[in-house]
Amino acid sequence: MLFQVLLFPPQASTNAAEVDLIYFFMIALCGFVTVAVVATMVYMAIRYRRTPTNLVGADIHGSTALEIFWSAVPFAIVMFIFAWGTSLYFKLSIPPANAMEVFVTGKQWMWKVQHMNGRREINNLHVPVGQPVKLTLASEDVIHSFFVPAFRVKADVIPGRYSTMWFQATTTGSYHLFCAEYCGTEHSRMIGEVTVMDPTDYQSWLETGNPAAAPAATGGGTAAAAGGEAQTPVQIGDALFHEKACVTCHLPQPGGVGPVLTHVPGSEVELSTGEKVIADDAYLRESILTPMAKVVKGYPPAMPTFAGQLSEEQVMSLIAYIKSLGGGPAPQAAATH
Ligand code: CUA
């Protein structure tokens, strides 16, 4: 569609075409209704205008058939939009299980990216083509919004909680990355690039900071990892786990003051209130920063808060470390002895 080529960014992710399709469907539907209403109005105004021969209007009463028609048809149309929109929303919200994870932190005024092998970059995100990528997003200060138009994805990044986003890039190349939420003086400069690479180039970039082939095309801040061996989030989390003395209460085997953490991530945890929750990233983050919010059944509310003592990147690293301990739900009874 010419209209689309002129006004729209390229469709560079697996979900982009369907997002555009529902958008164009809505525009076409609104256009059709607008034209139909205005045309009918103009026609009626002329056709039934007052003339010397019809000074008194016809006395018209209701029509049940018509009323059912104009209620049922719009209802069917909006329910169709609801069903389509919801199914697309779920597709956009739920990352595939095999998605590669990347941490992103927004702060005034830059995007800090941390890959699982420890490579970091600023205002730049390198990803492989054809591979689902899940971003876990946090903010160090105010609300930002991570927006990649070519992928048709946008997520508010809100202080105090995690946002997630996923996409699968379909074409190699370089795409705009914006902050789409006014966040202060340099909001308009909180921009960057998403670089989609062949998987082999990506691997090479991940390990060395340079793609195998093409020269580092993009200007601005590229891979800022280097400077000695890059520490992975798991290694950073491991060090913090000891430095912050988490290890004195969370022992590898039952008997500590706090629960064993080995199989906690992703499992169901029973709280002192009897409520059961899933230990996802948001739960782990909350339990580190505000431990009293959800106390695990059978344990004293003894953990100090770490709010204000850890940056979002450090919290993400701790979570990565805890996940690396065993992962997956407990065989049984590991978390609640
Ligand atoms: Cu960050 Cu606008």
Side-chain angles (χ1 to χ4, degrees), residues 96-290:
N98 64 339
M100 179 188 108
E101 279 202 72
V102 179
F103 292 152
V104 178
T105 312
K107 61 179 285 191
Q108 291 169 317
W109 288 274
M110 66 180 80
W111 294 109
K112 294 167 78 180
V113 175
Q114 187 172 26
H115 294 265
M116 277 310 183
N117 79 333
R119 181 157 295 282
R120 293 150 182 273
E121 45 185 343
I122 289 177
N123 292 341
N124 221 307
L125 169 62
H126 286 73
V127 294
V129 72
Q131 154 87 44
V133 176
K134 176 191 166 194
L135 306 184
T136 300
L137 304 130
S139 168
E140 292 282 6
D141 37 46
V142 300
I143 302 179
H144 303 275
S145 184
F146 192 93
F147 181 30
V148 186
F151 297 166
R152 306 295 189 276
V153 290
K154 175 156 71 175
D156 279 6
V157 182
I158 298 162
R161 54 170 284 191
Y162 285 147
S163 307
T164 58
M165 157 192 291
W166 82 275
F167 55 79
Q168 178 174 335
T170 51
T171 324
T172 55
S174 212
Y175 303 99
H176 288 298
L177 158 62
F178 295 109
C179 176
E181 183 72 53
Y182 182 70
C183 55
T185 323
E186 290 181 37
H187 155 72
S188 64
R189 292 166 67 185
M190 193 169 161
I191 55 178
E193 258 170 15
V194 179
T195 308
V196 179
M197 311 170 95
D198 279 329
T200 46
D201 288 351
Y202 173 75
Q203 269 314 320
S204 153
W205 174 84
L206 204 57
E207 280 150 29
T208 65
N210 289 306
T218 59
T222 3
E229 65 275 34
Q231 277 201 307
T232 67
V234 171
Q235 287 165 342
I236 295 169
D238 189 357
L240 281 168
F241 199 76
H242 291 81
E243 187 186 314
K244 298 289 178 188
C246 315
V247 68
T248 52
C249 295
H250 296 285
L251 304 178
Q253 70 287 328
V257 178
V260 175
L261 299 177
T262 314
H263 291 286
V264 170
S267 69
E268 194 181 65
V269 175
E270 191 175 355
L271 306 178
S272 54
T273 57
E275 192 191 348
K276 288 183 178 172
V277 296
I278 298 294
D280 55 9
D281 289 359
Y283 167 85
L284 295 173
R285 181 183 180 283
E286 182 185 58
S287 297
I288 293 167
L289 298 179
T290 38

Side-chain angles (χ1 to χ4, degrees), residues 268-323:
E268 194 181 65
V269 175
E270 191 175 355
L271 306 178
S272 54
T273 57
E275 192 191 348
K276 288 183 178 172
V277 296
I278 298 294
D280 55 9
D281 289 359
Y283 167 85
L284 295 173
R285 181 183 180 283
E286 182 185 58
S287 297
I288 293 167
L289 298 179
T290 38
M292 291 310 116
K294 295 192 174 72
V295 177
V296 177
K297 187 178 183 180
Y299 290 91
M303 181 167 157
T305 172
F306 288 87
Q309 298 181 47
L310 296 165
S311 70
E312 289 293 346
E313 280 190 358
Q314 289 176 316
V315 176
M316 283 176 172
S317 300
L318 270 172
I319 292 174
Y321 170 69
I322 293 167
K323 283 175 163 175

Side-chain angles (χ1 to χ4, degrees), residues 20-81:
D20 284 1
L21 191 62
I22 196 167
Y23 187 69
F24 288 125
F25 172 79
M26 300 282 284
I27 290 180
L29 183 69
C30 292
F32 170 77
V33 171
T34 306
V35 169
V37 167
V38 173
T40 309
M41 191 178 74
V42 169
Y43 170 78
M44 295 284 193
I46 295 168
R47 172 72 178 77
Y48 298 106
R49 70 190 184 281
R50 195 162 81 156
T51 63
T53 55
N54 69 353
L55 291 177
V56 178
D59 189 13
I60 298 173
H61 291 273
S63 158
T64 307
L66 257 183
E67 284 183 22
I68 289 172
F69 172 78
W70 73 48
S71 302
V73 171
F75 179 74
I77 292 172
V78 295
M79 288 313 286
F80 171 73
I81 295 168

